[in-house]
Amino acid sequence: MTTICELPTVHVPSTPRLLSGSFGRLLVTVFGSSLSMYLLTSVVPLYLAASGSGGIGAGLSTGAMMLSAVGVELVVPRMIARWGYQVVLGLGLVLLGAPSLVLLATASLPVVLLICVVRGAGLAILVVGAVALIAEVIPAHRRGEAFGVYGVVVGLPAAIGLPLGVYLTTVIGFDALFVLAAVASLAGLLALRGLPKHASVDDQHVKVLGGLRGSGLLMPTFVFAAVTVAAGISVTFLPLAVAEDKHSVVATALLLQSVAAPAARWLAGRFGDRIGPARLLAPALVLAAVGAGALVLIGSVVAIVVGSALFGIGFGAAQNLTLSLMYNRVPKSRYGQVSALWNLAYDGGWGIGAIVFGAIVAGTGYSMAFGLTALVVAVAIVPAVQSFRNRT
């Protein structure tokens, strides 16, 4: 009689789903808040222009929001350490969404600017808090992929909300759009219940700009700031640099850039988890520099479209890689600092780049100014290569 020996059952642990639990709830919150922001990004300037405030008011509204965000980002890590994620993110959702309803009552420039300042504070809380929470709840070996998914969820509202907001002003009017923007942000409060109430470590009291020497954070912060300089310039000035009969080309180019960036951010995260983000950073910067440099040929349709697509790929990849690299170099107690630094580089580079470019282009013309922008990105390749050689 043949005896059949049964082999012992081997239980292979399955990889947990990335989009479940706290991360999935956070993504719902992030999508709604991002949609709220982008629906009004171009609409508030239109609202001010319609009320007679003109271009000055439009520029001040954008500047007020970005400067407010930069200032508040410096204190968000301490807020999280003191009050926890649920309270702080909830505050961010309220500050970003609720002030939109005030626009129903007035288009007064001082009041609108105050609303932009408050919404900028809410934006700062959400972007810093969300990134820090992802780093905390996602295992390190899947962190890059998680940042990539986050990038897609943040990028989709940009691609949807920017054109949709302007279009809806002609369909449902400003008032209904202000309500929609408020609801999109405030609805995220329902998803906060499943998020961690407190940070997992108590010593998140490192100053955002403190202890940078020897931390390994300076290089990726500088590199990312250089790329965001070019990003802010392309979005702000590309429509102004071409003739009116080519505005459809600009729209196509910016759409390609906005789609390519989150896709590249996700792919960079997947491959960065496998081979390390430092290996991919320099190639990403090369693509971004080439894309920015293509705009030197501002009269060429091919250069505008291809250059914007290449820059979108490089910019999206650099977003993920610099962030992953920074988190890989610090303990959990400094996760809040990393999130704040990275977002400071994003908002600061975006705003400063646009301001400086505007001053330069008056004397050099657009081709030369775009060339200088590409040079800024190209210079950032050097420390990225050196960092990979010295410390991966």
Side-chain angles (χ1 to χ4, degrees):
M1 183 175 182
T2 304
T3 302
I4 300 176
C5 297
E6 294 184 0
L7 295 176
T9 303
V10 178
H11 297 282
V12 180
S14 58
T15 303
R17 292 171 55 191
L18 193 63
L19 299 181
S20 62
S22 297
F23 186 45
R25 295 184 182 92
L26 178 64
L27 293 181
V28 172
T29 301
V30 166
F31 183 87
S33 60
S34 297
L35 184 61
S36 174
M37 182 190 73
Y38 286 113
L39 278 173
L40 299 188
T41 296
S42 298
V43 168
V44 170
L46 287 175
Y47 185 56
L48 287 170
S51 67
S53 296
I56 294 177
L60 288 175
S61 66
T62 301
M65 187 168 184
M66 297 307 292
L67 289 176
S68 172
V70 169
V72 174
E73 282 164 357
L74 292 169
V75 300
V76 175
R78 291 196 175 192
M79 293 170 63
I80 293 173
R82 185 168 184 175
W83 297 314
Y85 285 107
Q86 282 192 13
V87 171
V88 173
L89 291 176
L91 176 62
L93 290 170
V94 172
L95 292 179
L96 180 64
S100 304
L101 299 176
V102 181
L103 294 171
L104 296 171
T106 180
S108 167
L109 180 58
V111 176
V112 173
L113 292 181
L114 179 59
I115 291 171
C116 291
V117 168
V118 175
R119 296 188 78 233
L123 174 65
I125 291 172
L126 290 166
V127 294
V128 174
V131 172
L133 182 57
I134 291 172
E136 185 160 329
V137 301
I138 299 297
H141 70 280
R142 301 195 73 185
R143 188 181 294 149
E145 183 180 2
F147 286 145
V149 173
Y150 168 78
V152 172
V153 172
V154 172
L156 282 177
I160 297 170
L162 286 172
L164 182 62
V166 175
Y167 171 73
L168 287 179
T169 60
T170 64
V171 178
I172 62 176
F174 286 108
D175 288 354
L177 187 57
F178 295 150
V179 174
L180 179 61
V183 170
S185 182
L186 295 175
L189 293 169
L190 300 175
L192 293 181
R193 188 173 181 180
L195 298 183
K197 292 183 179 180
H198 303 289
S200 63
V201 289
D202 297 326
D203 53 340
Q204 295 192 24
H205 295 285
V206 179
K207 292 182 178 179
V208 172
L209 301 179
L212 292 179
R213 182 175 297 178
S215 66
L217 299 179
L218 278 176
M219 183 282 294
T221 300
F222 163 75
V223 165
F224 186 52
V227 183
T228 57
V229 163
I233 288 170
S234 65
V235 171
T236 303
F237 289 96
L238 187 57
L240 304 177
V242 302
E244 290 188 7
D245 60 348
K246 290 185 179 179
H247 277 184
S248 60
V249 175
V250 173
T252 301
L254 292 179
L255 177 62
L256 285 174
Q257 181 173 312
S258 65
V259 171
R265 191 171 177 177
W266 173 67
L267 288 172
R270 285 185 63 87
F271 286 104
D273 282 344
R274 299 173 185 175
I275 64 176
R279 291 178 179 271
L280 299 175
L281 184 54
L285 294 175
V286 170
L287 286 175
V290 171
L295 296 182
V296 171
L297 305 173
I298 195 63
S300 168
V301 172
V302 174
I304 293 173
V305 173
V306 175
S308 296
L310 289 177
F311 179 78
I313 294 171
F315 176 55
Q319 284 181 294
N320 189 303
L321 299 170
T322 51
L323 187 59
S324 297
L325 196 59
M326 292 169 76
Y327 275 115
N328 289 347
R329 293 181 172 182
V330 298
K332 270 193 172 184
S333 61
R334 301 183 71 171
Y335 278 5
Q337 181 189 24
V338 166
S339 180
L341 274 176
W342 188 83
N343 282 288
L344 278 172
Y346 195 117
D347 296 334
W350 193 287
I352 292 172
I355 293 171
V356 174
F357 188 94
I360 291 176
V361 73
T364 65
Y366 281 106
S367 290
M368 178 65 72
F370 281 126
L372 293 174
T373 302
L375 182 61
V376 171
V377 181
V379 168
I381 298 172
V382 177
V385 172
Q386 291 177 341
S387 176
F388 171 67
R389 290 177 177 175
N390 297 333
R391 182 181 182 180
T392 58

